[in-house]
Amino acid sequence: MISIGLILPDVLGTYGDDGNALVLRQRARMRGLEAEIVRVKLGDPVPSTLDVYCLGGGEDTAQILAAEHLIADGGLTRAASAGRPIFAICAGLQVLGESFRASGRVVDGVGLIDATTASLSKRAIGEVVSTPVLPGLSAPLTGFENHMGATILGPDASPLGSVTRGVGNTDLAALGAVEGGSVSVSEQKLAEGAVQGSVIATYMHGPALARNPELADLLLARAMGVELASLAPLDLPVVDKLRAERLR
Ligand code: GLN
């Protein structure tokens, strides 16, 4: 049985990102594996032994509540320390960083990603496409971004992708403040998302795993403790069609 944690869907569930957990469950079931979604709501303890964790996007006030709960609870941090895969979207990415700006103040993040989020000069809304940087992925990544966050990666985090369309983690204005660091300014300018240890985070809504089956299977393989190459491919023309249409 593969247990898929859907973490705080009541506060990080505004943008349809709950779909990522559904996609993981469905891709597991289509391969004959048993899978279940464990919904963990605000105030509930986060189990630290699930096979994979999904966090979605949310509004500023809601994401502050999410960060406070996850820090106080500690279950997600224990899961990350044990190398359990965690997939976080937009506000989820910001919340897992060191700090983020929301509702006019700087808020402590959970600290699973070496990243800080300030504010963009202008809201990023629209299609975002990137070339994967994370080893193991080869297909272009496609999603829809809608955020005010300007996320700067520190030396312990790497981008998930390199942007070919859209904004991604930050714009140039917010980058002006960056000095040093192992991710160069030119890489930061193109960076989409963040990868650190077992955490993969991105600004891509869509839901991201419906649009990016290779990424879905990478997470599923990690949840199962097997190599991505060992998962039998799924023939889903409707997904190919969606990708072709979105990438056009
Ligand atoms: N509230 C955050 C922002 O605007 C995150 C939004 C989101 O999750 N889409 O940057």
Side-chain angles (χ1 to χ4, degrees):
M1 172 67 80
I2 300 165
S3 51
I4 301 159
L6 181 56
I7 306 305
L8 310 185
D10 44 348
V11 277
L12 298 177
T14 331
Y15 294 83
D17 302 314
D18 293 13
N20 290 322
L22 292 172
V23 170
L24 287 174
R25 186 178 68 182
Q26 189 62 15
R27 295 185 75 87
R29 288 181 175 173
M30 290 175 102
R31 293 183 169 99
L33 304 162
E34 279 185 52
E36 61 166 17
I37 294 173
V38 179
R39 290 172 70 90
V40 179
K41 291 207 181 158
L42 190 70
D44 292 347
V46 181
S48 55
T49 55
L50 302 178
D51 296 311
V52 57
Y53 295 77
C54 296
L55 291 85
E59 297 308 315
D60 284 16
T61 318
Q63 76 184 79
I64 294 173
L65 295 175
E68 287 171 352
H69 177 59
L70 294 174
I71 292 169
D73 175 76
L76 192 69
T77 302
R78 286 193 293 281
S81 307
R84 292 175 186 276
I86 297 171
F87 185 52
I89 312 297
C90 199
L93 179 164
Q94 299 175 5
V95 161
L96 296 191
E98 297 294 337
S99 68
F100 59 90
R101 202 171 173 81
S103 301
R105 64 183 178 100
V106 177
V107 181
D108 281 343
V110 184
L112 300 184
I113 305 172
D114 184 9
T116 53
T117 299
S119 297
L120 288 173
S121 48
K122 179 168 159 268
R123 178 165 283 272
I125 299 189
E127 292 292 314
V128 58
V129 181
S130 68
T131 304
V133 173
L134 177 64
L137 297 180
S138 56
L141 295 161
T142 158
F144 185 85
E145 61 182 340
N146 178 5
H147 63 99
M148 266 306 285
T151 300
I152 306 298
L153 303 180
D156 293 335
S158 312
L160 170 63
S162 178
V163 172
T164 54
R165 195 196 317 168
V167 175
N169 287 1
T170 186
D171 61 4
L172 271 176
L175 252 182
V178 182
E179 288 164 30
S182 70
V183 184
S184 71
V185 170
S186 56
E187 281 175 294
Q188 296 272 10
K189 191 179 74 155
L190 295 178
E192 201 301 301
V195 178
Q196 186 170 334
S198 62
V199 181
I200 298 177
T202 174
Y203 273 107
M204 294 186 293
H205 301 288
L209 298 186
R211 288 198 191 192
N212 299 285
E214 190 183 43
L215 179 58
D217 281 352
L218 179 85
L219 284 160
L220 191 57
R222 288 185 178 182
M224 296 163 63
V226 301
E227 293 295 323
L228 173 58
S230 73
L231 290 188
L234 297 175
D235 184 24
L236 296 170
V238 66
V239 174
D240 300 337
K241 215 170 143 191
L242 171 69
R243 281 182 63 76
E245 193 254 326
R246 289 290 94 192
L247 287 165
R248 207 157 37 224

